[in-house]
Amino acid sequence: MNKSEENIISTFLKDSDPLDALSDILLNFPPATTPYIRLLVAILHRAILDSDPITKERRNHRINAEAWLAARNPTNPEPFSFHWICINLNLDPDKINLDVKKRMSGK
């Protein structure tokens, strides 16, 4: 990840709701952003969308998204796991998870 991509991600995620921040990131990445980074942000964004309790008609999506977001293997994260994506985007997985849980509980 280059410095401009890092700066965009850290700027949007400072104190924002993670879903809103990731939406903003997806819309505001400069054209030069690597497709790899765009993909990782999109995967994380989709999981947070799917974990939203408002979408009860999509219960299976929510259950799978919550399980994916809760999975932990910090010493050897699987490629494209929540922890692995956070590491590759220079994000704190614990903070993102906490923010998502707050969002899900409506706080």
Side-chain angles (χ1 to χ4, degrees), residues 60-73:
N60 287 338
H61 289 280
R62 192 176 80 238
I63 291 168
N64 291 334
E66 289 172 358
W68 184 79
L69 289 164
R72 287 279 183 258
N73 188 359

Side-chain angles (χ1 to χ4, degrees), residues 17-87:
D17 174 276
L19 185 60
D20 293 341
L22 290 168
S23 296
D24 288 342
I25 290 169
L26 286 170
L27 293 172
N28 292 298
F29 262 139
T33 303
T34 59
Y36 166 77
I37 297 301
R38 288 179 180 270
L39 173 63
L40 297 183
V41 170
I43 291 169
L44 188 55
H45 182 255
R46 182 78 251 167
I48 294 170
L49 271 175
D50 287 348
S51 70
D52 196 323
I54 294 170
T55 58
K56 291 184 180 177
E57 67 279 357
R58 299 178 67 198
R59 186 172 186 270
N60 287 338
H61 289 280
R62 192 176 80 238
I63 291 168
N64 291 334
E66 289 172 358
W68 184 79
L69 289 164
R72 287 279 183 258
N73 188 359
T75 56
N76 190 21
E78 293 287 321
F80 294 97
S81 67
F82 168 72
H83 198 88
W84 184 88
I85 286 177
C86 286
I87 289 169

Side-chain angles (χ1 to χ4, degrees), residues 84-101:
W84 184 88
I85 286 177
C86 286
I87 289 169
N88 281 275
L89 293 174
N90 292 327
L91 301 175
D92 178 359
D94 294 326
K95 181 186 180 328
I96 298 295
N97 222 336
L98 181 64
D99 290 346
V100 170
K101 285 179 184 173

